[in-house]
Amino acid sequence: MKIFHNFPYPYVNGAPHIGHTFSFFRADSYARFKRLGGYNVLFPQGFHATGEPIVGTVERLKQNDASQIETFKLFGASDEDIKDFVEKGPEFVAQYWMNKWMELLKKSGMSIDWRRTFITAITPHYNKFIEWQYNTLRKKGYVVQGTHPVVWCPHCQSPTGDHDRLKGEGESPIQFYVIKFKLEGGEVLPCATLRPETVFGVTNIWVKPSEEYVVIELERERWIVSKETVEKFKDQLRDVKELEKINSDVLIGKLAENPVTKEKVPVLPAPFVDLSFGTGIVMSVPAHAPYDYIALEDLKKTEAGKKLGVENIFPKKIIELEDYKGIPAEEACKAYHIENQTQVEKLEMATEEVYKKEFHKGRMIVDPFKNIPVREAKEKTVELLKSLEALDYIWEITGLVICRCGTRCHVKILENQWFLKFSDEEWKRKVKECISMMKFYPEEIRQQFVNTVDWLENKACARKTGLGTRLPWDKEWIVETLSDSTIYMSFYTIYHYLKQIPIEKVNDELFDFIFLGKGNLKEISKKYGIKERLLEKMREEFEYFYPVDLRTSGKDLGAESLNILFVPSCRNLGR
Ligand SMILES: [Zn+2]
């Protein structure tokens, strides 16, 4: 009886930490226990170097980044080593830390089969294995090229996958509505929102005071947006022409017309406005948005506010629900003890709460959608705005994302990007079938896996920078960090034999034979001058040990990473 189990290959941009030790001991204890029970246990260990992080650390070392140097020294690197890191580059760094890992794991007595150890992006035979996978997926129609919104780092000029982020794991592109308010001169003040129905409750427009804004030409209109928005629109394939720069202070006090109510509302200053989010122009709905409510309260306390007549602006309630007797945003601010607009964390929580409650339980109390539930009113407002030519769209991220290089990301519409077709329904069905046959410890997490399969959409599978395997048919793209870590466990079953074969002889035909049983043994052996017995051994060992029997991991790495692993596994290798 065999047992094949392993610990997910760790990323080698430093030495192991205490959490790794905990998980490794669990894996090792299990291996030893099963061996005592007479099982033939395969417990291999590889390492992961694909993607941006290691390249990023070398960049930071080149800039003499004190905290990066400090971190490496804490992990045990000497001044000499750090000099080598800069001179010899990312691959050297990866190998250096891999050696440290192996040294420590050996010292701690892990019963690992080291003959099968490899490092992604650097081990040539592994790169060939990834090429085979992508050729195979592409033949089956599961790698597709398309135009899609992706989270994008303007500095790296590359999509930013989850593992390439310092901040913002799990955040993804989302389309915001843009509602067009008009100044008397005809310029558009575009306000991004996810709640178009609240346009009926707008009392004013916010801009960030004393900042550079830009007048642009878009769709034959003159729009005023933050400087940051211009880049975003360009990346989202909008035809933007920059006309002139202005200071936001010239806008303050002007009146803008609400496209649905035709009311004239003033433009006011608010420091909370984020120039990089939306358009840098915000429609203020103080009755239903905690930020707007508190910013208005803040402004009422200032001299500038008094001059602008802000004391005469009151929240305009347009949605009713049982949870709030009075003004929802005011009550939420009180409940969270929010006193001013700098309390971002509390404001985010209050905002989410009001939004959810109103969306699910609220009813409109103003014409023309009086008594209609909010979720329906939302659709109807969108239709109304469209008919008034007062609606547009902009892509945003569901939350803040910072790339490993330290740059804030935005959404770019990418043309000719390569995607893994995770949205495929047939694929999803098979994965769910596999999940239903698996055991989970604890059982509660099963549902997380099923949910993740449901929401998985096409995923960008290649970047233009970082370490990794190049797409065999489009060499400017490099397979990104999760997308080369899907069926790698199968590689453990054969690598100790495969590495005996010179790299130039390793190709798709070989992998087709080993993993899929395709082709004729004698012919392949003769064609490439590889011993029949060696080919047979690889096929046998794969068939014997695969699939994996147990996988242990940290709970934070659960659903998404592991699903990304399942989905292609089910597809490429049958089950
Ligand atoms: Zn970056």
Side-chain angles (χ1 to χ4, degrees):
M1 291 270 277
K2 67 97 185 181
I3 289 282
F4 177 14
H5 90 122
N6 68 16
F7 177 76
Y9 49 27
Y11 197 80
V12 282
N13 58 343
H17 57 66
I18 195 72
H20 290 122
T21 323
F22 170 71
S23 299
F24 260 110
F25 272 105
R26 250 184 346 193
D28 188 58
S29 313
Y30 183 76
R32 287 169 186 273
F33 177 71
K34 283 295 177 188
R35 282 189 204 111
L36 287 175
Y39 284 86
N40 186 9
V41 175
L42 174 55
F43 177 28
Q45 190 59 51
F47 298 93
H48 193 206
T50 308
E52 287 297 314
I54 296 175
V55 177
T57 58
V58 174
E59 285 304 310
R60 286 196 288 278
L61 289 180
K62 279 184 188 160
Q63 293 156 10
N64 265 320
D65 181 310
S67 92
Q68 185 61 59
I69 294 170
E70 174 82 350
T71 307
F72 276 164
K73 283 191 172 170
L74 272 174
F75 283 145
S78 66
D79 288 325
E80 202 60 33
D81 292 332
I82 288 171
K83 236 174 84 192
D84 278 349
F85 291 171
V86 175
E87 275 169 20
K88 297 180 181 168
E91 297 198 1
F92 177 83
V93 175
Q95 234 133 13
Y96 175 94
W97 291 114
M98 174 175 113
N99 292 340
K100 273 266 188 273
W101 269 84
M102 288 174 66
E103 191 187 312
L104 286 164
L105 290 172
K106 283 176 183 170
K107 265 188 192 162
S108 54
M110 297 294 160
S111 56
I112 289 165
D113 182 346
W114 292 109
R115 295 170 304 158
R116 303 166 192 259
T117 297
F118 61 89
I119 179 166
T120 71
I122 295 171
T123 298
H125 291 73
Y126 190 79
N127 289 334
K128 288 283 181 188
F129 168 66
I130 297 299
E131 286 182 14
W132 167 74
Q133 267 177 57
Y134 276 81
N135 281 332
T136 306
L137 286 165
R138 190 167 177 233
K139 270 185 232 154
K140 291 180 173 176
Y142 290 106
V143 184
V144 292
Q145 202 170 26
T147 299
H148 285 263
V150 295
V151 175
W152 177 261
C153 172
H155 176 259
C156 297
Q157 287 288 301
S158 198
T160 308
D162 262 351
H163 284 217
D164 302 316
R165 299 174 187 177
L166 280 181
K167 197 171 191 258
E169 197 173 324
E171 307 291 358
S172 56
I174 182 173
Q175 204 169 30
F176 272 64
Y177 301 99
V178 170
I179 300 179
K180 300 195 272 186
F181 283 67
K182 269 193 186 147
L183 290 173
E184 273 168 5
E187 294 95 341
V188 172
L189 293 181
C191 304
T193 180
L194 288 174
R195 305 187 62 188
E197 73 283 2
T198 61
V199 68
F200 293 99
V202 171
T203 59
N204 61 284
I205 301 285
W206 298 120
V207 293
K208 195 176 180 99
S210 310
E211 291 285 348
E212 186 179 298
Y213 278 62
V214 186
V215 183
I216 56 170
E217 192 184 299
L218 185 76
E219 311 285 342
R220 278 171 295 169
E221 288 174 325
R222 287 159 66 88
W223 288 33
I224 297 172
V225 295
S226 70
K227 198 174 62 188
E228 289 77 356
T229 309
V230 178
E231 274 321 294
K232 217 156 40 181
F233 271 141
K234 284 182 182 164
D235 272 343
Q236 296 178 12
L237 308 180
R238 300 297 299 264
D239 190 10
V240 181
K241 205 160 94 195
E242 285 173 72
L243 299 176
E244 59 172 317
K245 294 189 169 79
I246 56 167
N247 188 296
S248 55
D249 291 346
V250 305
L251 298 170
I252 291 167
K254 287 194 173 172
L255 295 176
E257 190 186 83
N258 183 323
V260 296
T261 64
K262 307 297 175 197
E263 281 168 292
K264 301 265 200 284
V265 296
V267 179
L268 299 174
F272 84 85
V273 172
D274 180 351
L275 297 167
S276 297
F277 194 81
T279 56
I281 298 204
V282 176
M283 66 180 204
S284 167
V285 190
H288 302 284
Y291 272 105
D292 298 336
Y293 173 79
I294 209 72
L296 201 58
E297 289 301 301
D298 282 354
L299 193 57
K300 281 179 183 174
K301 290 174 203 150
T302 66
E303 274 309 308
K306 279 172 196 141
K307 271 189 206 148
L308 289 161
V310 177
E311 69 269 20
N312 298 320
I313 299 178
F314 301 100
K316 184 179 163 196
K317 188 170 173 176
I318 58 157
I319 295 167
E320 206 171 54
L321 67 163
E322 269 181 18
D323 299 65
Y324 303 106
K325 297 284 168 276
I327 302 292
E330 182 182 3
E331 289 183 14
C333 282
K334 279 196 182 125
Y336 281 93
H337 305 289
I338 294 164
E339 276 144 21
N340 63 62
Q341 63 194 291
T342 64
Q343 292 166 287
V344 175
E345 231 168 89
K346 287 181 175 177
L347 276 161
E348 289 294 327
M349 289 192 281
T351 300
E352 198 184 319
E353 187 178 301
V354 174
Y355 178 85
K356 273 197 185 141
K357 285 185 176 168
E358 291 187 342
F359 183 76
H360 293 291
K361 303 185 217 165
R363 276 180 182 279
M364 302 296 286
I365 53 170
V366 290
D367 283 329
F369 302 134
K370 212 170 186 169
N371 288 326
I372 291 177
V374 167
R375 63 170 84 199
E376 280 174 45
K378 182 176 174 175
E379 300 306 318
K380 288 183 188 291
T381 309
V382 167
E383 290 312 312
L384 177 63
L385 287 164
K386 269 188 206 160
S387 71
L388 296 167
E389 293 184 1
L391 189 72
D392 208 304
Y393 300 91
I394 190 168
W395 283 96
E396 264 309 333
I397 312 179
T398 47
L400 180 65
V401 174
I402 307 286
C403 175
R404 290 264 182 190
C405 75
T407 308
R408 180 165 174 176
C409 297
H410 62 235
V411 175
K412 181 177 165 83
I413 308 286
L414 214 53
E415 292 174 299
N416 305 324
Q417 161 75 310
W418 293 100
F419 291 84
L420 273 177
K421 210 172 154 193
F422 282 105
S423 63
D424 189 89
E425 287 306 320
E426 178 60 13
W427 209 351
K428 289 189 178 197
R429 193 187 60 73
K430 287 203 169 148
V431 174
K432 283 187 185 165
E433 214 177 287
C434 290
I435 290 177
S436 74
M437 296 187 301
M438 292 168 59
K439 272 193 183 139
F440 288 87
Y441 305 95
E443 172 62 29
E444 296 91 271
I445 61 165
R446 180 187 302 277
Q447 195 53 40
Q448 274 182 38
F449 280 79
V450 176
N451 293 347
T452 310
V453 174
D454 283 333
W455 65 249
L456 268 181
E457 303 221 17
N458 288 358
K459 181 179 151 47
C461 64
R463 289 176 61 102
K464 294 211 169 171
T465 54
L467 296 176
T469 309
R470 293 187 180 274
L471 279 181
W473 63 86
D474 192 354
K475 301 269 184 196
E476 63 176 306
W477 292 97
I478 297 164
V479 178
E480 64 87 44
T481 181
L482 281 179
S483 303
D484 80 343
S485 304
T486 55
I487 57 170
Y488 72 88
M489 274 75 79
S490 58
F491 194 74
Y492 284 132
T493 65
I494 62 159
Y495 181 49
H496 56 311
Y497 292 128
L498 187 70
K499 65 184 168 189
Q500 299 170 22
I501 300 174
I503 190 70
E504 63 277 8
K505 291 185 178 176
V506 179
N507 58 29
D508 287 3
E509 215 177 327
L510 208 62
F511 288 118
D512 275 347
F513 174 78
I514 299 166
F515 293 128
L516 306 174
K518 281 188 191 164
N520 181 293
L521 173 66
K522 285 198 164 41
E523 275 171 26
I524 297 171
S525 164
K526 211 172 137 194
K527 191 165 163 191
Y528 299 105
I530 303 167
K531 283 199 182 105
E532 277 182 34
R533 189 62 202 128
L534 189 59
L535 289 167
E536 271 174 347
K537 272 184 182 165
M538 287 191 280
R539 173 86 186 132
E540 282 164 18
E541 197 128 338
F542 167 68
E543 293 246 272
Y544 174 71
F545 277 117
Y546 211 76
V548 173
D549 298 288
L550 175 78
R551 174 104 163 157
T552 49
S553 183
K555 66 170 188 282
D556 52 325
L557 293 175
E560 194 185 353
S561 304
L562 290 181
N563 268 319
I564 280 168
L565 175 152
F566 286 159
V567 179
S569 306
C570 300
R571 171 52 63 186
N572 246 1
L573 299 175
R575 294 236 167 89

